[in-house]
Amino acid sequence: MKIVEHFINGAHVGSTDTAGSFADVFDPNSGNVQARVSLASVEDLEHAIAAAQIAQIGWANMNPQRRARVMFRFKELIERDRAELGRLLSSEHGKVLADADGDIQRGLEVIEFCCGVPQLLKGDYSFGAGPGIDVWSIRQPLGVVAGITPFNFPAMIPMWMLGPALATGNAFILKPSERTPSVPMRIAELLTEAGLPDGVFNVINGGKEIVEAILDHPAIKAVSFVGSSDVAQAIYSRGTAAGKRVQAMGGAKNHGIVMPDADLDQTIADIVGAAYGSAGERCMALPVIVPVGRATAEAVRERLVDAIDKLKVGISTDPDADYGPVVTSAHRERVEQYIEMAVTEGSELVVDGRGLSLQGYEAGFFLGPTLLDHVTPAMKSYQEEIFGPVLQIVRAESAEEAIGLASRHQYGNGVALFTRDGGTARDYAADVEVGMVGINLPIPVPVAYHSFGGWKRSGFGDHNQYGMEGVRFFTRTKVVTQRWPGKTRGAPAGNSFVIPTLD
Ligand code: NAD
């Protein structure tokens, strides 16, 4: 059986705890255990931190152009091995190959942005701020930083974090999801092949215990987290209490608002892809549709039923499959419980995806597309994140009511509005209490030179992921005010007991 270990100081290492524990890694298509991942001990973390502390000094002192070259080579190596990485990713996650390739692509775009790090790190300079005085600012790395990532984007989300962290001169410790650990290990190997000095990037596998050790460790200066909201909030509290900088992205329940004037053909195609793609296991999925007005609701429902009928659920390597299995049987059970809850709460089960079995893959973690109508804001199944191929229709009478639903929801990751009216779209973009807004776009994940982050219980902390926000998160600013003798300095001054001014 394949064992996924840790990657410390440039090499694969097993846990120092010889009686150490392991977690199963499944093949969601067959339902079989395909590998076991070693769960690190605190001693393993100490080794990684010790290696990172030593390596970080030399890495930070390397000029940014050279660090950018390592990023560039890393990008080329990911492209070289892209198909293999996609297959590996798909085999543990269950997303179809084309979608796995998208996971890699969106991560690569962040690395491309980070290849410009010399430009991104350029500080400000004010010449002659006072007599003989110049003021300049620089961005310096924090030291050793850590990232903790979820199962659903095993390539993209580690790259969101490691790109800006490494390019700006930090050493990085990644704690990936124990459910999809293999791609992060390949990333570590490719970074080494790209010329990253040993110890600058380390991977520690494990669960809650090792996350808590990371949060408490004084040598780790910042933690970037992406995962579910309760964990995100706990990580934010514990990490900041330990004096760290923490950004913690959480769960989501994104609303797709359909106005009566929307182009329904395009809108339905967009909604179906965003609701069911990747089996709904995306924090930017669209699990809630809010049609405005009765006629819109009826038309949307009818077309959704038709579109769902044409969907193909298949194994993740099937090129014709629209989506594959969910990640584990435990996760499938959780989603099924939410469907049951929605029915008990009084929503109408229009399409029931439970009980789907694929010939030859009867033990796989498959779940058909589910559609629920007449869902109301009072229902728990609406208020909570389901994270599966389940779409809920919440009917609204007006645009204000629909936008209010998205604004009042506990989550505020993404939202999409489908309309032909520019004025409605403009007002909605300004007013809605959500961090990432789509207009006639179902999954508004910002491009790599903007940044990613939700509001309310979808994001804890002050900086977003990647883009300049990522650079700011992984650096701190130093401002130097200097005076040198010269013709503009003026006569030497005596003692002064007042706050210095440069007037
Ligand atoms: P998760 O919260 O279960 O796990 C995320 C990470 O935290 C993993 O590395 C896991 O090992 C660790 N972890 C789990 N429980 C922990 C605990 N009690 N204490 C400390 N660490 C713990 O999330 P997941 O199931 O892997 O991923 C799905 C969730 O992530 C969904 O809620 C989804 O919306 C969210 N997500 C959010 C974004 C975003 O950018 N906002 C992106 C992707 C996924």
Side-chain angles (χ1 to χ4, degrees), residues 148-152 157 160 175-179 206-208 211 225-228 231 235 249-252 283 385 387 413 452 458:
I148 299 158
T149 52
F151 81 85
N152 67 326
I157 295 179
W160 280 5
K175 205 304 284 172
S177 169
E178 61 279 31
R179 286 180 273 177
K208 183 171 191 268
V211 168
F225 172 87
V226 177
S228 53
V231 180
I235 278 177
M249 277 63 196
C283 69
E385 181 182 45
F387 219 57
N413 216 36
F452 184 108
S458 295

Side-chain angles (χ1 to χ4, degrees), residues 296-312:
T296 314
E298 294 305 331
V300 163
R301 174 179 162 149
E302 193 186 318
R303 286 168 185 243
L304 280 175
V305 171
D306 284 350
I308 288 169
D309 197 43
K310 296 188 185 87
L311 281 183
K312 181 174 179 201

